[in-house]
Amino acid sequence: MLVRDPAGARYFIGSRLHRLAFSAIMTSQSTGATHALLRRLVEELQETCNIGMLDGQEVIYVDRVECDWPLRVQLKIGSHVPIHCTAIGKLLLAHQDTDNRQRLLGPPPLIRYTANTITDLQLLEAELDRILDQGYSVNHQEDAVGLIALAVPVRDPWGNIIAGLAVHAPEARLSLGRVREILPQLNETATKISAAMFAGDIGQEQDKVD
């Protein structure tokens, strides 16, 4: 359930606890509500959207709705993608402390997928700091040529970032300019998804207060 850091006395979530958490999320009562919100967003944007969380040193898609365009990236719920060159991956990485960033990235060198993949650690750190400042992450053809993506955080009721919500599409349909235009829609949906995910927890906390 837990893994001990060989270099120190810290413990991290192990693979068994990760699988248990993802199973709970994907089969919980809130899943229907969050999936409906995701589907509505796809209908509005006409592009594929997904929700991803950290799973070891990768991102796992815990929910996903494909668009109807014939030209699209087809991945299933449960698929894993790299952390250092995807919109959700960089977003979640940006909100880790220095030690966790190093642990999640692993030993160098970082894998280069395209000419735009950031493999220099100093440049990646600068990118992560920029993501923290602006509150969202953009993937500009970093894991696949021609693919653009935008990710925003999904938070728990206490403000902790527990997932990322992303939209991605070919550059021909989703330019960098349009990415910023749809940012408000993504943030609004992320807020609704958070409320749906934790509706029971918020109610229990309110009962305690009352």
Side-chain angles (χ1 to χ4, degrees):
M1 302 293 279
L2 297 175
V3 178
R4 187 175 186 274
D5 181 1
R10 301 179 64 182
Y11 287 84
F12 303 101
I13 294 175
S15 59
R16 289 182 60 195
L17 188 54
H18 267 293
R19 287 195 297 270
L20 179 62
F22 294 138
S23 177
I25 290 171
M26 288 187 281
T27 58
S28 68
Q29 293 181 349
S30 68
T31 300
T34 58
H35 190 74
L37 289 166
L38 198 62
R39 183 170 294 280
R40 188 178 308 162
L41 181 63
V42 172
E43 291 173 355
E44 293 175 1
L45 301 179
Q46 294 296 300
E47 299 295 352
T48 297
C49 297
N50 50 65
I51 300 172
M53 302 178 72
L54 288 177
D55 183 20
Q57 293 177 308
E58 296 179 305
V59 170
I60 184 173
Y61 289 148
V62 296
D63 203 354
R64 180 177 173 89
V65 176
E66 298 274 359
C67 65
D68 292 329
W69 291 101
L71 178 60
R72 64 183 188 269
V73 178
Q74 299 187 44
L75 294 170
K76 297 179 180 179
I77 295 173
S79 296
H80 288 81
V81 295
I83 193 172
H84 70 287
C85 58
T86 55
I88 292 179
K90 291 192 299 178
L91 177 77
L92 299 178
L93 193 60
H95 288 272
Q96 305 295 317
D97 60 32
T98 301
D99 289 343
N100 274 341
R101 284 184 183 181
Q102 293 176 352
R103 179 179 63 84
L104 290 169
L105 290 172
L110 297 174
I111 297 176
R112 178 176 294 279
Y113 293 90
T114 74
N116 286 1
T117 306
I118 303 174
T119 57
D120 182 282
L121 291 178
Q122 289 187 337
L123 293 178
L124 182 58
E125 285 290 335
E127 169 75 355
L128 299 180
D129 289 342
R130 183 162 47 250
I131 290 169
L132 283 177
D133 290 338
Q134 64 192 18
Y136 62 89
S137 172
V138 174
N139 169 8
H140 183 205
Q141 306 185 65
E142 295 168 44
D143 66 325
V145 174
L147 186 68
I148 302 291
L150 167 69
V152 298
V154 176
R155 301 176 184 270
D156 66 18
W158 304 275
N160 303 305
I161 295 176
I162 49 93
L165 168 66
V167 56
H168 62 75
E171 186 181 24
R173 296 201 307 262
L174 186 64
S175 66
L176 286 178
R178 182 166 179 256
V179 154
R180 292 168 178 83
E181 292 177 2
I182 65 177
L183 182 61
Q185 290 171 272
L186 249 69
N187 278 322
E188 181 181 358
T189 301
T191 299
K192 292 178 179 178
I193 287 174
S194 175
M197 277 184 170
F198 296 96
D201 294 328
I202 295 173
Q204 292 173 9
E205 289 296 322
Q206 186 61 47
D207 290 341
K208 291 179 183 178
V209 172
D210 295 341

